Amino acid sequence: MSAKLRQLDILHRARSEGHVSVETLADTLGVTLQTIRRDLADLASAGQLERVHGGAVVPSGTVNIAYEERRRLNEVAKARIAARAARLIPNDICLFVSIGTTAEAVARALHSHSGLMVVTNNINVAQILSGHPDARIVLTGGTLRHTDGGLTGPLADAQLAQFRFDLAVIGCSAIDAQGMLLDFDMDEVRALRGVIDTAKQSCLVVDQSKFARHAPMTIAPINRLDQVITDAPLPDAIAGNMPHTDILLA
């Protein structure tokens, strides 16, 4: 197979799965790891993929990648992050869980908790927890974002402002080199800013692919948060500016 055809194949796989890994591509396409790395570098240079540790993802810019692709991306890592987060979340608290696929993974990991009041602007989180026998679920109002089940806008903001969360578990779409949390939707950004400002503690759950992505809107600097749970060490430039934030690896 020529390099051009191989790269078209790689691009098709990335768009359908949201993520490709160097090792899997090398095995599937019958070429060396070095060849795949060159292919991914070429595709990244052309702006068609973004390199992440061990592979590549569909690029981001001003529009997020599709929800189903995001849900499948790094599923194993998200499950580990969620399990680590669940061990930190105590019983009998008022908990906020945000929009996002990693936040949804955290909701799945709360099956053994008791006495929780979970407030969310994410329909998927509410559905995941709907069968929990010992959790009070509060779903905000707001404008439904059909792409991922998020509820945003003034009504969501007003309802979130009524709570003083013991802990807020949030995600984001990207983190830049200066440690700024980024996202694509100004309504979601506004909601997250309000939650971070009022929660007693806040925890970011994020997989390593977010360190290689970009988004246009700023939420808050990462050092505003109390904990960060991720699946790989933070880049040194970011970690060095977080003296009061606990960085936990899943």
Side-chain angles (χ1 to χ4, degrees):
M1 182 185 294
S2 70
K4 183 176 181 180
L5 289 176
R6 189 174 58 248
Q7 290 176 13
L8 286 173
D9 190 345
I10 292 170
L11 191 57
H12 173 75
R13 292 171 188 269
R15 286 173 174 169
S16 63
E17 300 173 11
H19 173 267
V20 288
S21 76
V22 172
E23 291 187 358
T24 300
L25 287 172
D27 289 342
T28 303
L29 299 177
V31 294
T32 66
L33 298 175
Q34 290 79 6
T35 297
I36 294 299
R37 291 190 182 101
R38 285 195 297 270
D39 288 336
L40 295 182
D42 290 343
L43 291 167
S45 296
Q48 295 178 299
L49 291 179
E50 289 182 3
R51 291 300 310 273
V52 296
H53 180 74
V57 298
V58 177
S60 55
T62 60
V63 179
N64 205 353
I65 61 178
Y67 171 77
E68 285 301 324
E69 293 180 356
R70 283 185 281 133
R71 188 177 61 80
R72 291 192 298 266
L73 181 60
N74 293 336
E75 279 187 294
V76 174
K78 289 175 183 177
R80 292 203 312 269
I81 291 166
R84 186 72 174 88
R87 293 198 296 272
L88 291 177
I89 296 172
N91 297 321
D92 303 306
I93 66 166
C94 182
L95 173 70
F96 173 75
V97 182
S98 77
I99 298 169
T101 56
T102 310
E104 291 168 16
V106 173
R108 293 187 189 94
L110 296 177
H111 52 84
S112 63
H113 281 64
S114 63
L116 293 178
M117 173 186 281
V118 181
V119 182
T120 185
N121 59 339
N122 184 342
I123 285 177
N124 300 318
V125 166
Q127 289 177 331
I128 290 165
L129 291 170
S130 62
H132 196 302
D134 191 28
R136 182 179 177 188
I137 313 304
V138 179
L139 181 63
T140 72
T143 301
L144 175 64
R145 201 164 65 187
H146 292 279
T147 55
D148 63 1
L151 292 165
T152 61
L155 183 55
D157 296 341
Q159 293 183 326
L160 289 172
Q162 296 178 38
F163 292 91
R164 173 72 158 150
F165 300 110
D166 295 302
L167 176 64
V169 175
I170 69 169
C172 68
S173 293
I175 304 173
D176 70 14
Q178 288 71 48
M180 183 64 71
L181 310 186
L182 306 172
D183 216 298
F184 295 91
D185 186 308
M186 65 179 68
D187 289 330
E188 183 177 357
V189 165
R190 185 174 59 246
L192 288 173
R193 287 174 180 169
V195 167
I196 292 170
D197 284 344
T198 58
K200 295 176 184 176
Q201 287 194 312
S202 54
C203 175
L204 177 70
V205 288
V206 60
D207 70 80
Q208 62 184 289
S209 70
K210 303 301 175 66
F211 304 131
R213 300 189 66 209
H214 307 282
M217 300 176 191
T218 62
I219 301 169
I222 196 170
N223 59 15
R224 283 285 309 280
L225 306 174
D226 298 287
Q227 293 101 23
V228 175
I229 304 177
T230 185
D231 61 323
L234 296 178
D236 290 342
I238 298 175
N241 291 319
M242 300 171 60
H244 304 297
T245 303
D246 293 329
I247 304 170
L248 305 173
L249 294 181

